[in-house]
Amino acid sequence: MPDGRPPARDLACPECGATVSDRWRCECGAPLEFADPPAPEGPPPGPDEAMPGPGGSGRDAIGARSGLWAFDAFLAVGDDPADRVTLGEGMTPLVDAERSGDDPSAGGWDAAFKLEYVFPTGSFKDRGATTTLTRARELGVERVVEDSSGNAGAAIATYAARAGIDAAVYVPADVKESKLRAIRRAGAEPVQIEGSRADVTAACVAALGEGDEGRRNGGAADAAWYASHAWNPAFFEGTATVAYEIAAQRGWEAPDAVVTPLGHGTLFLGAYRGFRRLERAGWIDEVPRLFGAQAAGAAPIVRALHGADAADPEGKVNAAADGIQIAEPVRKREILDAVADTDGDALAVTQTAAERELERLHAAGFYTEPTCAVAPAALRELRGRGALSPDDDVVVPLTGSGLKG
């Protein structure tokens, strides 16, 4: 780093206690976290006040122009604003969703929708991409690789282009053409891999090259830095901002519950971490209950909680929810801990239910991609069976644009 610029923060292993300057995973095999994540001091800002933090003088009030970087007092990356790789992402709308027309006891929405599909690349993955590429810039990375079913790859490719960093994105062979096109047009190299989603990850990891597991271009000539949305802790720094925004938009009052799609858990765990940090800072009184909506037939969290029949009620995979078909989430234990800690749950949503909910969303003016529909479909089920009462105040992020479908 040039003189006068803050160094990139170290990472720590929650399993073995090791501290490292940078790796994509600990030598013991566990995902790493930031060793010293920051937290603001004092009360939350008022409606017209700027956030406390390292941004300097003349800062905007929350949401005016800074987007999610208004919350830099909570972020372990981007201490120097010059390192931030941004396209103005964040502060997505939080809007009331009218009831679907059903009797509330039968499972109507009666929720607020967080419109994550209005991000620059059309999905919430931009939250993690801006912080991940900021971390890459802090480290002086020259080439990144990522594996993705589509949205994360498009986001990483786009923000790598913004940063002037070369990128390759490993995707399933049958990835949607709209997502493949977004990767190509950002100048990244898409690498299509036959086989399972796990095969895609394995091919990407194999491409990292030599030198501290290819953590940066200090090893072999082909070494790369793993900008993984599942492994890289910088990605979760970004997705945690969904909690900060929800709280700020609600006058620093958390909802009773949040329902998100759940694959690798990047948004689910981001929300959990963000609300926990807000609680520790004294900015909210209580962390909301967290509910994850998984694709039926590819629902490992539901399987762990409720068994095989609940995870695969129709004996087939919900093919519509291609964005969350993750058989072995990297942070499975952390997801289960977050469910237990918040008195939440996970549900498997069938393709029939997801497609029906997608039609309802579009008819109500919410133009989302199919994977998005699992969360409001899960909310409908939770309302219907009484797990969430008609009086519970619920937020549901709608995570990807219908233009991707």
Side-chain angles (χ1 to χ4, degrees), residues 44-328:
D48 299 317
E49 297 175 339
M51 283 279 294
S57 61
R59 304 187 53 184
D60 301 320
I62 291 174
R65 286 190 295 275
S66 299
L68 66 78
W69 287 100
F71 302 96
D72 59 2
F74 285 101
L75 298 178
V77 299
D79 288 344
D80 187 337
D83 287 326
R84 296 174 188 173
V85 181
T86 179
L87 290 165
E89 60 290 317
M91 292 310 297
T92 58
L94 183 67
V95 302
D96 288 335
E98 295 181 359
R99 297 188 191 278
S100 64
D102 295 337
D103 184 328
S105 64
W109 287 333
D110 193 20
F113 286 162
K114 183 87 163 125
L115 307 188
E116 299 287 273
Y117 59 86
V118 302
F119 271 104
T121 75
S123 92
F124 82 93
K125 295 289 177 58
D126 290 359
R127 290 192 185 276
T130 181
T131 48
T132 299
L133 268 297
T134 293
R135 170 78 173 173
R137 179 178 276 176
E138 289 176 339
L139 294 168
V141 167
E142 297 177 9
R143 176 177 169 81
V144 301
V145 295
E146 156 74 318
D147 58 280
S148 165
S149 61
N151 280 338
I156 292 295
T158 298
Y159 281 79
R162 178 69 167 167
I165 294 174
D166 291 339
V169 181
Y170 287 68
V171 297
D174 60 353
V175 68
K176 291 179 179 178
E177 179 58 32
S178 58
K179 296 177 181 179
L180 200 62
R181 186 165 56 246
I183 293 168
R184 287 197 182 103
R185 288 184 174 176
E189 174 193 2
V191 183
Q192 293 176 264
I193 302 296
E194 297 285 350
S196 68
R197 183 64 181 79
D199 293 328
V200 178
T201 298
C204 183
V205 170
L208 289 175
E210 303 294 332
D212 196 12
E213 297 190 278
R215 66 180 176 86
R216 67 179 77 180
N217 280 14
D222 62 348
W225 189 77
Y226 195 17
S228 168
H229 64 288
W231 285 94
N232 200 307
F235 203 93
F236 292 86
E237 288 294 291
T239 56
T241 62
V242 72
Y244 311 147
E245 290 183 18
I246 290 171
Q249 288 168 320
R250 294 168 49 88
W252 303 110
E253 180 180 340
D256 295 315
V258 176
V259 185
T260 79
L262 178 56
H264 266 305
T266 49
L267 190 62
F268 183 89
L269 288 176
Y272 175 68
R273 294 179 182 199
F275 283 118
R276 274 284 171 235
R277 289 192 193 177
L278 287 167
E279 184 190 44
R280 286 197 297 270
W283 288 19
I284 61 172
D285 294 329
E286 192 173 8
V287 173
R289 299 175 70 191
L290 296 179
F291 295 87
Q294 296 208 282
I301 303 302
V302 178
R303 183 179 295 270
L305 292 170
H306 303 296
D309 290 344
D312 193 5
E314 293 185 343
K316 61 180 181 180
V317 173
N318 176 353
D322 62 302
I324 54 172
Q325 292 173 10
I326 305 298
E328 290 295 330

Side-chain angles (χ1 to χ4, degrees), residues 10-14 31-36 233 236-237 273 331 334:
D10 287 344
L11 306 178
C13 178
L32 292 160
E33 306 297 345
F34 282 98
D36 58 344
F236 292 86
E237 288 294 291
R273 294 179 182 199
R331 299 172 185 266
E334 187 180 348

